[in-house]
Amino acid sequence: MVKKVGVLTAGGDCPGLNAVIRGIVKTAEYAGVEVYGFLEGYKGLIENRYIKLDPRVTGGIISKGGTILGSNNKTNPFAIPVKNDKGEVDYEDKSFEIVERLKRDNYDCLIVIGGDGSLKSGRDFTRRGLNVIGVPKTIDNDVPHTDITFGFYTAVDVATEAIDRIKTTAESHGRVLLLEVMGRYAGWIALAAGIAGGADTILIPEIPYDLTKVAEKIRQRRALGKKHSIIVVAEGAKPVDGELMVKATVGDSPDAVRLGGAGDYVAREIEKLTGIEARNTTLGYLQRGGNTCAYDRILSTEYGSMAMKLAIEGKFNEMVTFTDGKITHVPLDEVAGKETKIGAASSNIKPVDLDGDWIETARRIGICLGD
Ligand code: F6P
């Protein structure tokens, strides 16, 4: 009988995290299971900082973005940097003592709500004998085995509204306006928002772009009397035979590469090629903040409730997924830590399906995809 469950949110935040926590807590309440939330992701787990979660604490959080538990994308409990006597950095594995403590404190299971890196740590904890259930989290919608991740449609809504807004100013000035959106090595947000916002060109990591094709599209539109153009650029988009645009690499962080600059680069080059004014707006964290859209609230509630259902039924070491319109689960081991090669990057992601409906529709209605 499962009596006590821990939960943490790790990695970058994402709209819907609070709704997942609420789904977990409300499902636990009916089964008489106690839930404790570790603060700031794995950092709080290592330092044993937590709060008790019950429906009084989670009341009213379904709509709010962010996470009431706080998050952290810099701590890997299996490799914590510590300076040795010589001032060099050594890596310490805290996982054994964490598992020992959780068992001593009568935790039956730990629910990890996180992205690829955090779920991989969750999987590694199962190898130390801890019961873990994973809930995938990302606005990028790039988790294998999962059709839609919560947070994605909120980000798409925000990006679509941004396109609506830049469109009216682009029209007024006859400019080429670009919008750089998040998504890391996958183009889901760019593709979905680009279609929804009526973009003329969408550049995604899965289709390396040729700028002469993009310039041609702009000229074609001008020939038809449409002076403005809207280009959505995924942050991970890169030119044919070119490289990813990296803004920074961040020390010891498990998320070492910070993408950025793709939109500015395309704007600069398009202006050179066409002689038409081209300017980029980078949407950034607006996509991740604020309120969670209705679809994501429903999906998050389902993800959270299913995670607790699995715990109650003792079905551990699984990751909750949304497949073919149903909330279900796959073994954590099948998903976490699997590498896929995406151009120069190596990551565990589900790329945009180039034979999928969205790409086909985009091509049929004349959207330029840079190829
Ligand atoms: O993975 C989610 C995401 O928002 C990406 O789309 C983006 O590249 C990245 O996180 C930004 O992360 P950080 O919080 O480290 O800046």
Coordinates of all heavy atoms in Angstrom, one line a residue, residues 197-262:
G197 N -0.5 31.6 -37.1 CA -0.4 33.1 -37.2 C -0.4 33.5 -38.7 O -0.3 34.7 -39.0
G198 N -0.4 32.6 -39.6 CA -0.4 32.9 -41.0 C 0.9 33.4 -41.5 O 1.0 34.3 -42.3
A199 N 2.0 32.8 -41.0 CA 3.3 33.2 -41.5 C 3.6 32.8 -42.9 O 3.0 31.9 -43.4 CB 4.4 32.6 -40.6
D200 N 4.5 33.6 -43.6 CA 4.8 33.2 -45.0 C 5.9 32.2 -45.1 O 6.0 31.5 -46.0 CB 5.2 34.5 -45.7 CG 4.1 35.6 -45.5 OD1 3.0 35.4 -45.9 OD2 4.4 36.6 -44.9
T201 N 6.8 32.3 -44.1 CA 8.0 31.4 -44.1 C 8.2 30.9 -42.7 O 8.0 31.7 -41.7 CB 9.3 32.2 -44.6 OG1 9.1 32.5 -46.0 CG2 10.5 31.3 -44.4
I202 N 8.5 29.6 -42.6 CA 8.8 29.1 -41.2 C 10.1 28.3 -41.4 O 10.2 27.4 -42.2 CB 7.6 28.1 -40.8 CG1 6.3 28.8 -40.8 CG2 7.9 27.5 -39.4 CD1 5.1 27.9 -40.5
L203 N 11.0 28.6 -40.5 CA 12.3 27.9 -40.5 C 12.5 27.1 -39.3 O 12.4 27.6 -38.2 CB 13.4 28.9 -40.7 CG 13.3 29.9 -41.9 CD1 14.5 30.9 -41.9 CD2 13.2 29.1 -43.2
I204 N 12.7 25.8 -39.5 CA 12.8 24.9 -38.3 C 14.1 24.1 -38.4 O 14.6 23.9 -39.5 CB 11.5 23.9 -38.3 CG1 11.4 23.1 -39.6 CG2 10.3 24.7 -38.0 CD1 10.3 22.0 -39.5
P205 N 14.5 23.5 -37.3 CA 15.8 22.8 -37.3 C 15.8 21.6 -38.2 O 16.8 21.2 -38.7 CB 16.0 22.4 -35.8 CG 15.0 23.2 -35.0 CD 14.0 23.7 -35.9
E206 N 14.6 21.0 -38.3 CA 14.6 19.7 -39.1 C 14.8 19.9 -40.6 O 15.0 19.0 -41.3 CB 13.2 19.1 -38.8 CG 13.0 18.6 -37.4 CD 12.5 19.6 -36.5 OE1 12.5 20.8 -36.9 OE2 12.1 19.3 -35.3
I207 N 14.6 21.2 -41.1 CA 14.8 21.5 -42.5 C 15.9 22.6 -42.6 O 15.5 23.8 -42.5 CB 13.5 21.9 -43.2 CG1 12.4 20.9 -42.9 CG2 13.7 22.2 -44.6 CD1 11.0 21.3 -43.5
P208 N 17.1 22.3 -42.7 CA 18.1 23.4 -42.9 C 17.8 24.3 -44.0 O 17.3 23.8 -45.1 CB 19.4 22.6 -43.1 CG 19.2 21.2 -42.5 CD 17.7 21.0 -42.8
Y209 N 17.9 25.6 -43.8 CA 17.3 26.5 -44.8 C 18.3 27.1 -45.8 O 19.5 27.2 -45.5 CB 16.6 27.7 -44.1 CG 17.5 28.5 -43.2 CD1 18.3 29.5 -43.6 CD2 17.4 28.3 -41.8 CE1 19.1 30.2 -42.8 CE2 18.2 29.0 -40.9 CZ 19.0 30.0 -41.4 OH 19.8 30.7 -40.6
D210 N 17.8 27.4 -47.0 CA 18.6 28.1 -48.0 C 18.0 29.5 -48.1 O 16.9 29.7 -48.5 CB 18.4 27.3 -49.3 CG 19.0 27.9 -50.5 OD1 19.5 29.1 -50.4 OD2 19.1 27.3 -51.6
L211 N 18.8 30.5 -47.8 CA 18.3 31.9 -47.7 C 17.9 32.4 -49.1 O 17.0 33.3 -49.2 CB 19.4 32.8 -47.1 CG 19.5 32.7 -45.6 CD1 20.6 33.5 -45.1 CD2 18.2 33.2 -44.9
T212 N 18.4 31.8 -50.2 CA 18.0 32.3 -51.5 C 16.5 31.9 -51.7 O 15.8 32.6 -52.4 CB 18.9 31.8 -52.6 OG1 18.7 30.4 -52.7 CG2 20.3 32.2 -52.5
K213 N 16.1 30.8 -51.1 CA 14.7 30.4 -51.3 C 13.8 31.3 -50.5 O 12.7 31.6 -50.9 CB 14.5 28.9 -50.7 CG 15.3 27.9 -51.5 CD 14.6 27.6 -52.9 CE 15.5 26.8 -53.8 NZ 16.0 25.6 -53.4
V214 N 14.3 31.7 -49.3 CA 13.5 32.6 -48.5 C 13.4 34.0 -49.2 O 12.3 34.6 -49.2 CB 14.1 32.8 -47.1 CG1 13.3 33.7 -46.2 CG2 14.3 31.4 -46.4
A215 N 14.5 34.5 -49.8 CA 14.4 35.7 -50.5 C 13.5 35.7 -51.7 O 12.7 36.6 -52.0 CB 15.9 36.1 -51.0
E216 N 13.5 34.5 -52.4 CA 12.6 34.3 -53.5 C 11.2 34.4 -53.1 O 10.4 35.1 -53.8 CB 12.9 32.9 -54.0 CG 12.5 32.6 -55.4 CD 12.9 31.2 -55.8 OE1 14.1 30.9 -55.7 OE2 12.0 30.3 -56.0
K217 N 10.8 33.9 -52.0 CA 9.4 33.9 -51.5 C 9.0 35.4 -51.2 O 7.9 35.8 -51.5 CB 9.4 33.1 -50.2 CG 8.0 33.2 -49.4 CD 7.0 32.3 -50.1 CE 5.6 32.5 -49.4 NZ 4.6 31.8 -50.2
I218 N 10.0 36.2 -50.6 CA 9.7 37.6 -50.4 C 9.4 38.3 -51.7 O 8.5 39.1 -51.8 CB 10.8 38.2 -49.5 CG1 10.9 37.5 -48.2 CG2 10.7 39.7 -49.4 CD1 12.2 37.8 -47.4
R219 N 10.3 38.0 -52.6 CA 10.1 38.7 -54.0 C 8.8 38.3 -54.6 O 8.1 39.2 -55.2 CB 11.3 38.4 -54.9 CG 12.6 39.1 -54.4 CD 13.7 39.0 -55.5 NE 15.0 39.2 -54.9 CZ 15.8 38.3 -54.6 NH1 15.5 37.0 -54.9 NH2 17.0 38.6 -54.0
Q220 N 8.5 37.0 -54.6 CA 7.2 36.6 -55.1 C 6.0 37.3 -54.6 O 5.1 37.7 -55.2 CB 7.0 35.1 -54.8 CG 7.6 34.1 -55.8 CD 7.6 32.7 -55.2 OE1 6.9 32.4 -54.3 NE2 8.3 31.8 -55.9
R221 N 6.1 37.5 -53.2 CA 5.0 38.2 -52.5 C 4.9 39.7 -53.0 O 3.8 40.2 -53.3 CB 5.1 38.1 -51.0 CG 4.8 36.8 -50.4 CD 5.0 36.8 -48.9 NE 4.4 37.8 -48.2 CZ 3.1 37.9 -47.9 NH1 2.3 36.9 -48.2 NH2 2.6 38.9 -47.2
R222 N 6.1 40.3 -53.1 CA 6.1 41.7 -53.6 C 5.5 41.8 -55.0 O 4.8 42.7 -55.3 CB 7.6 42.1 -53.6 CG 8.1 42.3 -52.2 CD 8.9 43.6 -52.1 NE 8.7 44.1 -50.8 CZ 9.1 45.3 -50.4 NH1 9.6 46.1 -51.3 NH2 8.9 45.7 -49.2
A223 N 5.9 40.8 -55.9 CA 5.3 40.8 -57.2 C 3.8 40.7 -57.2 O 3.2 41.2 -58.2 CB 5.9 39.6 -58.0
L224 N 3.3 40.1 -56.2 CA 1.8 40.0 -56.1 C 1.2 41.3 -55.3 O 0.0 41.3 -55.0 CB 1.4 38.8 -55.3 CG 1.7 37.4 -56.0 CD1 1.5 36.3 -55.0 CD2 0.8 37.3 -57.2
G225 N 2.1 42.2 -55.0 CA 1.6 43.4 -54.4 C 1.6 43.4 -52.9 O 1.2 44.3 -52.2
K226 N 2.2 42.3 -52.3 CA 2.2 42.2 -50.8 C 3.6 42.6 -50.4 O 4.6 41.8 -50.5 CB 1.9 40.7 -50.4 CG 0.5 40.4 -50.7 CD 0.3 38.9 -50.4 CE -1.1 38.5 -50.8 NZ -1.3 37.0 -50.9
K227 N 3.7 43.8 -49.8 CA 5.0 44.3 -49.5 C 5.7 43.7 -48.3 O 6.9 43.7 -48.1 CB 4.9 45.8 -49.3 CG 4.8 46.6 -50.7 CD 4.9 48.0 -50.4 CE 5.4 48.8 -51.6 NZ 5.5 50.2 -51.3
H228 N 4.8 43.3 -47.4 CA 5.4 42.8 -46.1 C 5.5 41.2 -46.1 O 4.8 40.6 -46.9 CB 4.5 43.2 -44.9 CG 3.3 42.3 -44.8 ND1 2.2 42.5 -45.7 CD2 2.9 41.3 -44.1 CE1 1.3 41.6 -45.4 NE2 1.7 40.8 -44.4
S229 N 6.4 40.7 -45.3 CA 6.5 39.2 -45.1 C 6.7 38.9 -43.6 O 7.4 39.7 -43.0 CB 7.6 38.7 -45.9 OG 7.3 38.6 -47.3
I230 N 6.2 37.8 -43.2 CA 6.4 37.4 -41.8 C 7.1 36.0 -41.9 O 6.7 35.1 -42.5 CB 5.0 37.1 -41.1 CG1 4.2 38.4 -41.1 CG2 5.3 36.6 -39.7 CD1 4.8 39.6 -40.3
I231 N 8.2 36.0 -41.1 CA 9.1 34.8 -41.1 C 9.2 34.3 -39.6 O 9.6 35.1 -38.7 CB 10.5 35.0 -41.6 CG1 10.4 35.6 -43.0 CG2 11.3 33.8 -41.6 CD1 11.8 36.0 -43.7
V232 N 8.8 33.1 -39.3 CA 9.0 32.6 -38.0 C 10.2 31.7 -38.0 O 10.4 30.8 -38.9 CB 7.8 31.7 -37.5 CG1 8.0 31.1 -36.1 CG2 6.5 32.6 -37.5
V233 N 11.1 32.0 -37.1 CA 12.4 31.2 -37.0 C 12.5 30.5 -35.7 O 12.5 31.1 -34.6 CB 13.6 32.2 -37.2 CG1 14.9 31.4 -37.2 CG2 13.5 33.1 -38.4
A234 N 12.6 29.2 -35.8 CA 12.9 28.4 -34.5 C 14.3 28.7 -34.1 O 15.2 28.9 -34.9 CB 12.7 26.9 -34.8
E235 N 14.5 28.8 -32.8 CA 15.9 29.2 -32.3 C 16.9 28.1 -32.7 O 18.1 28.5 -32.8 CB 15.9 29.3 -30.7 CG 15.5 28.0 -30.0 CD 15.5 28.1 -28.5 OE1 15.8 29.1 -28.0 OE2 15.1 27.1 -27.9
G236 N 16.5 26.9 -33.0 CA 17.4 25.9 -33.5 C 17.6 25.8 -35.0 O 18.2 24.9 -35.5
A237 N 17.0 26.7 -35.7 CA 17.1 26.6 -37.2 C 18.5 27.0 -37.6 O 19.1 27.8 -37.0 CB 16.1 27.6 -37.8
K238 N 18.9 26.3 -38.7 CA 20.3 26.6 -39.1 C 20.4 26.5 -40.6 O 19.6 25.8 -41.3 CB 21.3 25.7 -38.5 CG 21.0 24.2 -38.7 CD 22.1 23.5 -37.9 CE 22.0 22.0 -38.1 NZ 20.8 21.3 -38.2
P239 N 21.3 27.3 -41.3 CA 21.4 27.2 -42.7 C 21.9 25.9 -43.2 O 22.6 25.2 -42.4 CB 22.4 28.3 -43.0 CG 23.0 28.8 -41.7 CD 22.3 28.1 -40.6
V240 N 21.7 25.6 -44.5 CA 22.2 24.4 -45.1 C 23.8 24.5 -44.9 O 24.3 25.6 -45.2 CB 21.9 24.3 -46.6 CG1 22.5 23.1 -47.2 CG2 20.4 24.3 -46.8
D241 N 24.4 23.5 -44.5 CA 25.9 23.5 -44.3 C 26.3 24.5 -43.2 O 27.5 24.9 -43.2 CB 26.6 23.8 -45.6 CG 26.4 22.7 -46.6 OD1 26.2 21.6 -46.2 OD2 26.3 23.1 -47.8
G242 N 25.4 25.0 -42.4 CA 25.7 26.0 -41.4 C 25.6 25.4 -40.0 O 25.3 24.2 -39.9
E243 N 25.8 26.2 -39.0 CA 25.8 25.8 -37.7 C 24.6 26.3 -36.9 O 24.0 27.3 -37.3 CB 27.1 26.2 -37.0 CG 28.4 25.6 -37.5 CD 28.3 24.1 -37.4 OE1 27.9 23.5 -36.3 OE2 28.8 23.4 -38.3
L244 N 24.3 25.7 -35.8 CA 23.3 26.2 -34.8 C 23.8 27.6 -34.3 O 25.0 27.8 -34.1 CB 23.2 25.3 -33.6 CG 22.4 24.0 -33.7 CD1 22.7 23.2 -32.5 CD2 20.9 24.4 -33.7
M245 N 22.9 28.5 -34.0 CA 23.3 29.8 -33.4 C 23.3 29.6 -31.9 O 22.2 29.4 -31.3 CB 22.3 30.9 -33.8 CG 22.1 31.0 -35.3 SD 23.5 31.8 -36.1 CE 23.2 31.2 -37.8
V246 N 24.4 29.7 -31.3 CA 24.5 29.5 -29.8 C 24.9 30.9 -29.2 O 25.8 31.5 -29.6 CB 25.6 28.5 -29.5 CG1 25.8 28.4 -28.0 CG2 25.3 27.1 -30.1
K247 N 24.0 31.2 -28.2 CA 24.2 32.5 -27.5 C 25.3 32.4 -26.4 O 26.1 33.3 -26.2 CB 22.9 33.0 -26.9 CG 22.9 34.5 -26.5 CD 21.6 35.1 -26.5 CE 20.8 34.7 -25.2 NZ 19.4 35.1 -25.2
A248 N 25.2 31.3 -25.7 CA 26.2 31.1 -24.6 C 26.3 29.6 -24.3 O 25.4 28.8 -24.6 CB 25.7 31.8 -23.4
T249 N 27.4 29.2 -23.8 CA 27.6 27.9 -23.2 C 27.8 28.1 -21.7 O 28.6 28.9 -21.3 CB 28.7 27.0 -23.8 OG1 29.8 27.9 -24.0 CG2 28.3 26.5 -25.1
V250 N 27.0 27.3 -20.9 CA 27.0 27.6 -19.5 C 27.7 26.6 -18.7 O 27.1 25.5 -18.5 CB 25.5 27.7 -19.0 CG1 25.4 28.7 -17.8 CG2 24.6 28.1 -20.1
G251 N 28.9 26.9 -18.3 CA 29.7 26.1 -17.4 C 29.3 24.6 -17.2 O 29.2 23.8 -18.1
D252 N 29.0 24.3 -15.9 CA 28.8 22.9 -15.5 C 27.3 22.5 -15.7 O 27.0 21.3 -15.4 CB 29.0 22.7 -14.0 CG 30.4 23.0 -13.7 OD1 31.3 22.7 -14.5 OD2 30.7 23.5 -12.6
S253 N 26.4 23.4 -16.1 CA 25.0 23.1 -16.2 C 24.7 21.9 -17.1 O 25.4 21.7 -18.2 CB 24.3 24.3 -16.7 OG 23.0 24.0 -17.1
P254 N 23.8 21.0 -16.7 CA 23.4 19.9 -17.6 C 22.8 20.5 -18.9 O 22.9 19.8 -19.9 CB 22.4 19.1 -16.8 CG 22.4 19.6 -15.4 CD 23.1 21.0 -15.4
D255 N 22.2 21.7 -18.8 CA 21.7 22.3 -20.0 C 22.7 23.3 -20.5 O 22.5 24.5 -20.5 CB 20.4 23.1 -19.7 CG 19.2 22.2 -19.7 OD1 19.3 21.1 -20.3 OD2 18.2 22.6 -19.1
A256 N 23.9 22.8 -21.0 CA 25.0 23.7 -21.2 C 24.9 24.7 -22.4 O 25.4 25.8 -22.4 CB 26.3 22.8 -21.4
V257 N 24.1 24.3 -23.4 CA 24.0 25.2 -24.6 C 22.8 26.1 -24.6 O 21.6 25.6 -24.5 CB 24.0 24.3 -25.9 CG1 23.8 25.2 -27.1 CG2 25.2 23.4 -26.0
R258 N 23.0 27.4 -24.6 CA 21.8 28.3 -24.7 C 21.7 28.8 -26.1 O 22.7 29.5 -26.6 CB 22.1 29.4 -23.7 CG 20.8 30.1 -23.2 CD 21.1 31.1 -22.1 NE 21.3 30.4 -20.8 CZ 21.9 31.1 -19.8 NH1 22.3 32.3 -19.9 NH2 22.1 30.4 -18.7
L259 N 20.7 28.5 -26.8 CA 20.5 28.9 -28.2 C 20.1 30.3 -28.3 O 19.4 30.8 -27.4 CB 19.5 28.0 -28.9 CG 19.9 26.5 -29.0 CD1 18.7 25.7 -29.6 CD2 21.1 26.3 -29.8
G260 N 20.3 31.0 -29.4 CA 19.9 32.3 -29.6 C 20.6 33.0 -30.8 O 21.8 32.7 -31.0
G261 N 19.9 33.8 -31.5 CA 20.6 34.6 -32.6 C 20.1 34.2 -33.9 O 20.5 34.9 -34.9
A262 N 19.4 33.1 -34.1 CA 18.9 32.6 -35.4 C 18.1 33.7 -36.1 O 18.3 33.9 -37.3 CB 18.2 31.3 -35.3

